[in-house]
Amino acid sequence: MISIVIPCFNEELIINDFIDELKKITDKIENDFEIIFVDNKSNDKTLDLIKNKRQIFNNCKIICLSNYFGKESAILAGLDVANG
């Protein structure tokens, strides 16, 4: 299995386009994969937009950090729950 960890912080302006492009790429993956979004306490609509689009992936997880900890901590949080 392939795990794709995506740290997010205030990505409201680009997250929809990113998810659409990610879907195009993951449609070409023949292996099992999971998408793990890690919201780093965004203060915009990033989390809502991710939740609205998560159903386009078969295996998608969302982690919400309790505070802003930086991208390294967000990546580690994603790796902690990764199955791949």
Side-chain angles (χ1 to χ4, degrees):
M1 173 177 278
I2 299 170
S3 296
I4 303 169
V5 178
I6 305 160
C8 303
F9 179 71
N10 292 341
E11 309 293 347
E12 176 181 7
L13 296 177
I14 63 165
I15 196 68
N16 281 327
D17 291 338
F18 174 80
I19 292 172
D20 292 340
E21 289 299 315
L22 181 62
K23 177 66 176 158
K24 290 177 191 176
I25 292 168
T26 57
D27 282 345
K28 298 175 186 177
I29 297 175
E30 295 180 9
N31 297 10
D32 288 337
F33 67 92
E34 64 183 348
I35 307 289
I36 304 168
F37 289 97
V38 183
D39 182 61
N40 212 342
K41 195 66 173 176
S42 295
N43 53 25
D44 63 1
K45 295 181 182 177
T46 298
L47 184 58
D48 293 333
L49 295 171
I50 293 169
K51 287 179 179 178
N52 289 338
K53 288 202 137 193
R54 74 183 290 178
Q55 73 280 356
I56 68 172
F57 299 107
N58 291 333
N59 194 359
C60 180
K61 299 175 185 175
I62 301 174
I63 299 171
C64 300
L65 299 181
S66 62
N67 207 341
Y68 177 80
F69 294 107
K71 72 173 188 229
E72 293 82 6
S73 294
I75 292 170
L76 285 175
L79 292 176
D80 281 345
V81 301
N83 294 317

